[in-house]
Amino acid sequence: MKNPVQGLHHVTVMAASAQRNLDFYSVVLGQRVVKVTVNFDDPGTYHLYYGDQVGSPGTIMTHFPWQGAARGVRGNGEAVATAYSVGAGSLDFWRARLTGHGYSPRQSERFGQAVLSVEDPDGTWTELIADDGQAVPRPWPASPVPAQHALRGFHSVTLWVQSAQPIAELLTGQLGFHTAGQEPDAEGLRWRFRGAGAGVGLYVDAVERPGKPGGRFGAGSIHHVALRTVDDSEQAEYLSALRAAGYGPTPVQDRQYFHSIYFRERGGVLFEIATDAPGFAADESVERLGSHLMLPEWFEGRRAAIAQRVPRIVNHEYGVEIGGGTSGKPVAGAPSPAAESSAPIPTPTPLSGQPRDAQTLRAGRPLPEARVAMILVHGRGGSADDILHLRDAWNQSVYAYLAPQAPSLPGQGHSWYPQSFLAPLEQNQPALDEALSRLERLLAELDAAGTPPERVILGGFSQGACLVAEFVARHPQRYGGVFLYSGALITLQHGGDLAGTPIFMGNSDADPHVPLERFEQSKAALEALGAQVEARVYPGLPHTIVQDELDAVGRMMQALAFESV
């Protein structure tokens, strides 16, 4: 690599209340709100950024507030705590400040340094480590915290893992970190890794907890940890190297204020590599950062709808309302943000009396909170867990994901039907009809939870793709989208109207299981039903999924999330 990763860039967390989150990080902790925008994959949800005066890399805490979201549970395979650096003489100040705001900090020691820990309003562990290292990169003069006690930026993050070996292989083998030490921890053995940069945000800690359960994602859960790289060319090197090492990073994504790639380490923790540029002053002056709802140009056409959907918040630096149909309006006679932030957060009402397929794995956003959903159908011999991992390639947190598990058939492993999809229909009965009924029941479950078919994407690989194609052809209506990786229709004669449903089809011209002729016949049949079909043929490829196919479905998902606002 031209340069190793410099350390931490930002940390992104889920929250349950936008105002309560803003009050804690900007008022209690004294960070500046450097950007109020939306989750680019879910424009109906805020993305709030906090940091020093300009949002310097290594100071940036970000939150997606899912209003009313149920609280998550910490566990292996995720980051569980973010630590800030403060002056060695500042812990008494912070203990008194946190206690005065109704929190209960507790003190411990880690690698010879005093640590003050507290849970934020959603239960996220926030830590302050006494460290006489670097000063604040760009102090915020208007901070409610005196300058000598201000947060100096990140010190470290803590991960919980089954084993430290996979994370060590990633950090030291791919990203230029080195092992900085180990010590006993209440949860297991704590390993520390140090980035190659200088300044703030240099450390990643991993606590080994063998045999302990994984986490359950929700409010208070850390979604991902972002690491720093200076520019696009360095990021491109990491993209290439991580793909070669089998980490499956996403393509580069434009996050307006930096460019990003995402990938999971082998223990499950989601990482991002983000560029330092262009920064948060790209669309607002430094003097007015965080004063208005900022949207990328591709969302400007829906500004009114987005501004109406996101809840009203008050930025205390300017005394203005944002969201809820307001636009930078000065606060006048509005309810107190402090009173609003102390109100209890409602727990989503669970489904009652609705059928639930026990053989279906679920991930992503809980159904009562989801506006869009995806049903993923695995191929012959595969598993629900295998295909569910495709969500990592898309990194779309707005979706609820459902992956049904096929039954085990003698000599075939898990399979939806026993013979080739081209075999006479009767040879695959009654298994085929039961498999089609499974998809029908899942769509009914989603509809009952408030996510109708026009906001659901159905897709699959190989036998699963054939099953999905046959299902939508037999049950034609407007779906949110369909994707068929190496699959085709089981039968070609259908009637009805798919009403402009977008369908992506990808196949090799040499696929041993799906003849090119059948692929092309299926494309024509689906178009005749009114679908908008994009079909791509990949010369000479084996029976597999390629990055171009993943990218195409990622764009379909983003378009549907945007339409659902």
Side-chain angles (χ1 to χ4, degrees), residues 165-434:
Q165 182 177 349
I167 194 70
E169 290 174 353
L170 169 69
L171 295 177
T172 65
Q174 299 291 331
L175 302 180
F177 282 68
H178 68 265
T179 303
Q182 58 178 267
E183 69 175 18
D185 182 270
E187 291 287 336
L189 183 63
R190 178 181 290 266
W191 292 75
R192 172 158 290 179
F193 303 93
R194 190 189 192 282
V200 297
L202 299 182
Y203 299 102
V204 173
D205 288 2
V207 179
E208 288 185 309
R209 304 168 72 243
K212 298 293 181 65
R216 187 179 74 234
F217 191 76
S221 298
I222 295 176
H223 185 262
H224 64 266
V225 174
L227 305 173
R228 288 182 65 186
T229 193
V230 173
D231 56 27
D232 292 336
S233 64
E234 287 187 13
Q235 186 182 69
E237 290 187 49
Y238 278 105
L239 178 63
S240 177
L242 289 165
R243 280 183 176 169
Y247 287 96
T250 66
V252 175
Q253 299 185 28
D254 183 357
R255 296 311 192 195
Q256 189 81 348
Y257 312 109
F258 43 85
H259 299 152
S260 303
I261 60 174
Y262 302 86
F263 60 95
R264 287 190 190 273
E265 57 88 27
R266 308 200 199 284
V269 179
L270 182 62
F271 280 97
E272 174 184 348
I273 294 181
T275 59
D276 284 357
F280 294 98
D283 56 2
E284 287 181 295
S285 68
V286 170
E287 293 73 24
R288 299 298 294 172
L289 287 177
S291 60
H292 294 83
L293 174 64
M294 304 304 297
L295 299 175
E297 63 176 305
W298 58 91
F299 284 163
E300 280 294 346
R302 300 289 299 277
R303 172 174 283 277
I306 291 171
Q308 186 66 44
R309 185 177 184 90
V310 294
R312 167 197 169 277
I313 58 175
V314 174
N315 184 334
H316 305 291
E317 179 180 358
Y318 307 99
V320 296
E321 300 177 6
I322 302 172
T326 66
S327 180
K329 188 172 73 173
V331 178
S336 164
E340 178 183 333
S341 68
S342 64
I345 301 301
T347 300
T349 304
L351 297 179
S352 176
Q354 299 297 339
R356 183 180 174 93
D357 189 326
Q359 298 303 310
T360 293
L361 297 184
R362 297 151 197 275
R365 194 164 302 196
L367 293 191
E369 302 166 19
R371 298 196 312 277
V372 286
M374 174 178 280
I375 297 175
L376 290 157
V377 187
H378 68 80
R380 186 190 303 273
S383 71
D385 184 63
D386 289 341
I387 198 161
L388 197 57
H389 278 88
L390 287 182
R391 73 188 191 279
D392 294 341
W394 299 311
N395 193 39
Q396 299 271 343
S397 62
V398 63
Y399 279 80
Y401 297 91
L402 288 76
Q405 177 66 61
S408 182
L409 299 183
Q412 299 194 50
H414 294 286
S415 185
W416 296 108
Y417 44 84
Q419 305 299 324
S420 164
F421 80 105
L422 296 172
L425 205 58
E426 62 272 13
Q427 293 184 18
N428 281 320
Q429 296 294 16
L432 175 59
D433 282 349
E434 172 54 28

Side-chain angles (χ1 to χ4, degrees), residues 57 82 92-94 105 113 154 247 264 301 311 345 378 427 539 557:
T82 305
D92 287 343
F93 166 86
W94 278 106
Q113 294 175 310
F154 294 136
Y247 287 96
R264 287 190 190 273
I345 301 301
H378 68 80
Q427 293 184 18
M557 295 171 73

Side-chain angles (χ1 to χ4, degrees), residues 35 47 126 162 197 393 435 475 486 496 506 546:
K35 193 65 60 181
H47 196 171
T126 302
Q162 292 282 350
H475 301 82
S486 301
V546 297

